[in-house]
């Protein structure tokens, strides 16, 4: 037995983070400090949807969303509270922020300066990847051209002024959540990075040496699913392709700059509501995929919590995820070896196969004009919707095994979620009201003239084509709010609605179940006098549209006429659309946890407009208690992640419409 | 076709609904659109009463917007709607999407991504599935436009892509706008397909592409000078602009208004509506009974005379009346055949 002294030398572990933030800056600060005390080594800030989409907490669209999926940050004082007693010169902070990245980075820099830290010393990451927002996550605000400009200006600013900052984190993570295959994940994210690098290269102030540094600062954010061998090969393939792109397309020669640097959040898509304790094992296996191979090892890792499909995780749930990382890094011998797979024919063959296919798909996108074109013509979005449809069909058909969901469903009840276990975090309902009060107080105590002058200056600089960062940092210091900053940009750049990508989804071969429902839809349509028409709506600021898209495609496949207008609609817009379109039923999808306010609003407004007889069904991450409340408010059916069989949902929607029209 | 007599109350309700539609009441427009789409035999009389009451009141300008996929029709519509709203006019949009032949299902409205500024109380959006009409317009397109034109100043109908729909859409609109994108080879294809003879106005989109766009506009003008045109007295104007950046939209609205004025003063508008009415009736009868069935009404001239005999009635009413005559004739024909056989 070896003594402590003779223990072999170990690699330094990756950085441990937990994606977190909720309710208020104060509550989130307390959470961050306790996580750091438990051995977390970096921060990952989750902002709420109003902050991500550039609205103050008191904007009408923010209603119900404040503090729900992250922390609300309206101004510099919020940011200062968020990092109270956390020295930013020593911290590495990752911020999941995209459309408003320039603003949140400006607030971060201004806060650091208040702490006495120069921006040059800051370390961290702004996600700043707008392409995947159009494709999957949905917190875009501005049209593609303006968005690419903002991203490239953050890149060109930080490379000189905040040299240790990762200005853009190209995310393939959300593409996998939207259904991407490994090949699509590689090809789409590379196309995305190229679209920004091409813009940066064309900037007059960027020379070859700067371009090399910019290339070295672009980082990636990957997903890791349960097929962990393939996922490991995917990471190896991305390493190779990135280096190839650096050398061949951008003429980079500096080895250090050519290295692919990436962080990972493992898959949430495959986490199940049924037998939720199984997710603990899934998460650990997925972590292996991105740590086992030294050559393809992640720089930082975020593990989701086992109960994410049920609602918001509690501190204990997040601690379990952190402990998983610590056991893997400190207890096992993983970090004592070089690459375990060098020389493995199996791994090499799989890696090369992925690489070849990804090169082909990347070329297809570049040939059509690049990632921006492939967003505007919906090519990538359609491919993702197709892949996701395939995946769900395979689960429904039992071709893809999901333990506890479509196989091995017999189980004893889980003590983790039994009555009274309180298995999820309840957001304090007073958080929104308190945040709005504190925002009003801030507006009253700031110097209004300073703020207005800073906004005017911001507008002038943008209109004259100057870099967004300097006037934004000045605005942060002058007490400008998130909503005010964004409004200036909205006025100059306009707002964008992205293609939903569902129209071109091919009609699936009908299984027996689908044919059965189709027959019922035909019969009911005859009774109704016209074809059964459904409105699929996403109220609020939540942009996770994958579920709504799958419902829309399935409804079409069973023979319904489907109206789907995309994301970010107010309850009033949904009700108006239901009236104009003359639909028989409304299906709402919400994942942000703001279902209470938004769904009730839709139901109430329908009644007020004399359309109370139109039935409403709801799908989302909705705890049982909330579901009961929604049903009491008049909602006809509530669906949660455990309802994976979309055909059965359609069958029930036929029931609901038949009931509502029976007289 | 079985006829069920409607109750007096149902007919009275239909006429009342028509009144509310003409007053521009939003919920009434929606209800009326549902009613014209209702194909139950029991709803037929009420539907016809509604259309008879609404059709003569349908004074709004009807504009068809067509063009290849990706030409920017939706973006242009978005800009047009905003522009017309700025001028205080009410606008309706009818978007026609294809249905799956296999399932009857359809995904609607993705093309109508109207921006927030275009979604206000003066804008009414309805999407329609093309149903069993391959590449064409659904039968309810005409009646739906009648309803919307009775309530709103401008009604747009956006059709899918380019093909058979142009020849049909001219039967239901006053003015047809073609949105072209400056892509190589596209225009030649359209000319070959004879599509360019129908539009009254061309809008070359994406003028930000520069030379390519200028060249496309020039080619189009040259082609129009030479080719067949629906209106031989008028060379359709070719405008250019960028729907995305809002360039050329004011000019397009002016051109639309100019064309509306021209249709009125020249009498061509009236003639077009007359022709369109005849074409819709003949088309509907032909779809139902085939050429053979239509021929039982007599020669082409006799058919037109029969249609002209019902000047105030809605298209659907005339179709209904003539359907009964055709069915009677077909019945007689069958009996005749039966006697001969016996």
């Amino acid at each position: 037995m070896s003594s402590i002294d003779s223990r072999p030398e170990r690699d330094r572990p990756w950085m441990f983070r937990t994606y977190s933030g909720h309710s208020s800056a104060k509550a989130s600060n307390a959470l961050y400090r306790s996580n750091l005390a438990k051995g977390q080594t970096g921060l990952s800030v989750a902002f709420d949807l109003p902050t991500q989409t550039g609205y103050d907490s008191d904007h009408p669209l923010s209603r119900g969303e404040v503090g729900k999926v992250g922390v609300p940050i309206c101004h510099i004082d919020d940011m200062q509270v968020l990092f109270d007693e956390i020295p930013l010169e020593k911290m590495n902070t990752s911020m999941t922020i995209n459309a408003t990245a320039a603003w949140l980075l400006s607030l971060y820099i201004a806060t650091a300066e208040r702490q006495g830290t120069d921006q040059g010393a800051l370390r961290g990451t702004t996600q700043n990847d707008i392409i995947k927002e159009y494709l999957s996550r949905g917190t875009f605000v501005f049209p593609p051209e303006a968005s690419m400009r903002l991203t490239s200006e953050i890149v060109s600013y930080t490379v000189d002024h905040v040299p240790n900052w990762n200005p853009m984190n190209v995310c393939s993570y959300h593409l996998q959540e939207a259904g991407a295959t490994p090949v699509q994940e590689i090809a789409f994210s590379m196309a995305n990075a190229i679209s920004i690098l091409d813009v940066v290269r064309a900037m007059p102030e960027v020379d070859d040496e700067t371009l090399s540094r910019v290339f070295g600062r672009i980082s990636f954010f990957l997903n890791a699913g349960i097929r962990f061998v393939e996922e490991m090969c995917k990471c190896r393939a991305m390493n190779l392709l990135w280096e190839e792109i650096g050398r061949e397309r951008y003429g980079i020669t500096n080895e250090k700059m050519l290295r692919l640097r990436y962080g990972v959040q493992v898959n949430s898509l495959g986490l199940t509501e049924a037998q939720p304790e199984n997710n603990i094992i899934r998460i650990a296996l997925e972590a292996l995929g991105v740590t086992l191979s030294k050559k393809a090892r992640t720089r930082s890792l975020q593990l989701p919590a086992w109960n994410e499909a049920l609602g918001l995780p509690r501190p204990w749930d997040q601690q379990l995820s952190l402990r998983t990382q610590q056991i893997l890094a400190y207890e096992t011998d993983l970090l004592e070896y070089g690459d375990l797979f060098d020389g493995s024919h199996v791994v090499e063959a799989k890696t090369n196969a992925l690489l070849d296919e990804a090169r082909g798909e990347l070329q297809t996108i570049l040939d059509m004009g690049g990632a921006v074109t492939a967003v505007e013509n919906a090519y990538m979005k359609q491919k993702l919707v197709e892949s996701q449809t395939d995946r769900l069909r395979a689960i429904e058909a039992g071709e893809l095994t999901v333990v506890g969901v479509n196989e091995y469903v017999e189980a004893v009840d889980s003590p983790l979620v039994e009555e009274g276990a309180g298995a999820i975090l309840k957001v304090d309902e007073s958080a929104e009201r308190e945040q709005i009060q504190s925002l009003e107080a801030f507006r009253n105590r700031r110097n209004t003239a300073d703020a207005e002058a800073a906004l005017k200056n911001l507008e002038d600089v943008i209109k004259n084509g100057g870099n967004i960062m300097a006037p934004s940092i000045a605005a942060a210091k002058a007490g400008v709010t998130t909503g005010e900053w964004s409004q200036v940009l909205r006025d100059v750049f306009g707002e964008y609605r992205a293609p939903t990508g569902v129209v071109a989804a091919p009609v699936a071969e009908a299984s027996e179940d689908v044919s059965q429902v189709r027959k019922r839809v035909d019969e009911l349509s005859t009774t109704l006098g016209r074809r059964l028409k459904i409105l699929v709506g996403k109220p609020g600021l939540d942009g996770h549209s994958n579920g709504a898209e799958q419902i829309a495609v399935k409804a079409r496949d069973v023979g319904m006429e489907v109206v789907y207008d995309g994301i970010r609609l107010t309850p009033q817009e949904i009700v108006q659309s239901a009236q104009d379109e003359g639909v028989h039923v409304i299906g709402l999808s919400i994942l942000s946890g703001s279902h209470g306010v938004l769904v009730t609003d839709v139901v109430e407004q329908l009644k007020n407009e004399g359309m109370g007889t139109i039935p409403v069904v709801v799908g989302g991450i909705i705890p049982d208690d909330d579901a009961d409340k929604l049903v009491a408010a008049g909602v006809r059916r509530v669906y949660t992640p455990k309802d994976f069989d979309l055909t059965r949902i359609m069958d029930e929607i036929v029931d609901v419409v038949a009931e509502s029209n029976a007289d | 076709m079985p006829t069920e007599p409607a109750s007096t109350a149902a007919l009275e309700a239909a006429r009342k609904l028509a009144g509310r539609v003409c007053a521009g009441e939003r919920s009434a427009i929606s209800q009326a659109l549902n009613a014209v789409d209702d194909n139950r035999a029991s709803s037929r009389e009420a539907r016809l009463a509604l259309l008879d009451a609404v059709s003569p009141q349908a004074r709004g300008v009807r504009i068809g917007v067509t063009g290849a996929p990706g030409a920017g029709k939706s973006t242009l519509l978005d800009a047009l709607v905003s522009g017309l709203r700025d001028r205080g006019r009410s606008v309706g949009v009818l978007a026609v999407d294809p249905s799956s032949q296999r399932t009857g299902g359809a995904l609607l409205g993705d093309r109508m991504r109207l921006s927030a500024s275009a979604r206000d109380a003066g804008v009414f959006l309805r999407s329609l599935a093309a149903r069993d009409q391959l590449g064409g317009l659904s039968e309810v397109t005409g009646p739906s436009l009648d309803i919307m034109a009775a309530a709103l100043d401008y009604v747009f109908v956006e059709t899918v892509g380019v093909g058979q729909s142009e020849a049909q859409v001219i039967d239901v609109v006053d003015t047809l706008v073609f949105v072209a994108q400056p892509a190589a080879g596209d225009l030649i294809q359209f000319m070959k397909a004879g599509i360019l003879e129908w539009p009254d106005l061309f809008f070359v989109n994406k003028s930000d592409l520069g030379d390519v766009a200028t060249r496309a506009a020039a080619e189009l003008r040259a082609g129009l000078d030479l080719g067949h045109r629906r209106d031989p007295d008028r060379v359709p104007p070719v405008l250019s602009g960028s729907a995305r950046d809002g360039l050329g939209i004011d000019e397009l609205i002016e051109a639309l208004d100019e064309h509306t004025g021209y249709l009125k003063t020249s009498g061509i508008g009236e003639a077009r509506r007359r022709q369109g009415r005849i074409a819709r009736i003949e088309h509907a009868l032909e779809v139902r009974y085939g050429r053979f069935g239509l021929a039982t009404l007599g020669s082409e001239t006799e058919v037109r005379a029969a249609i002209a005999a019902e000047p105030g009635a809605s298209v659907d009413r005339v179709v209904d009346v003539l359907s009964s005559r055709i069915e009677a004739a077909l019945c007689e024909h069958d009996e005749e055949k039966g006697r001969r056989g016996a």
Side-chain angles (χ1 to χ4, degrees), chain B residues 250-329:
Chain B
D250 287 341
E251 291 79 0
L252 179 57
I253 292 175
E254 275 163 35
L256 286 171
D257 285 347
E258 189 267 331
H259 190 247
T260 303
Y262 165 77
L263 289 177
K264 207 169 273 169
T265 51
S266 64
I268 289 176
E270 197 39 53
R272 280 190 179 183
R273 283 203 179 182
R274 243 183 351 255
Q275 285 159 9
R277 184 165 178 272
I278 292 170
R280 280 165 65 187
I281 293 168
E282 288 181 348
H283 180 75
L285 293 173
E286 203 178 311
V287 167
R288 269 188 219 174
Y289 304 104
R291 294 214 170 162
F292 179 78
L294 192 56
T296 62
L297 293 175
S299 68
E300 198 179 301
T301 329
E302 284 169 299
V303 173
R304 305 234 155 139
I307 294 172
E310 312 268 355
S314 64
V315 165
D316 290 57
R317 172 73 71 190
V318 180
V319 170
D320 195 64
V321 168
L322 296 182
S323 289
S324 314
R325 275 175 56 185
I326 293 175
E327 276 174 33

Side-chain angles (χ1 to χ4, degrees), chain A residues 621-633:
Chain A
I621 297 180
I622 299 170
D624 287 349
D625 293 357
D626 291 6
D628 294 344
K629 282 185 210 150
L630 292 179
V631 170

Side-chain angles (χ1 to χ4, degrees), chain B residues 17-73:
Chain B
L17 181 60
R20 286 170 53 214
V21 168
C22 296
E25 221 180 285
R26 184 170 213 110
S27 62
I29 305 174
S30 178
Q31 234 178 300
L33 288 172
N34 295 348
V36 298
D37 199 10
D38 186 339
N39 54 27
R40 284 176 292 192
S42 55
S43 314
R44 181 160 142 261
E45 278 301 325
R47 189 184 50 148
L48 293 176
L50 172 69
L51 283 168
D52 283 345
V54 166
S55 297
Q57 311 289 325
R59 298 206 179 84
V61 180
R62 300 157 205 228
I63 300 163
V65 178
T66 182
K73 296 188 291 290

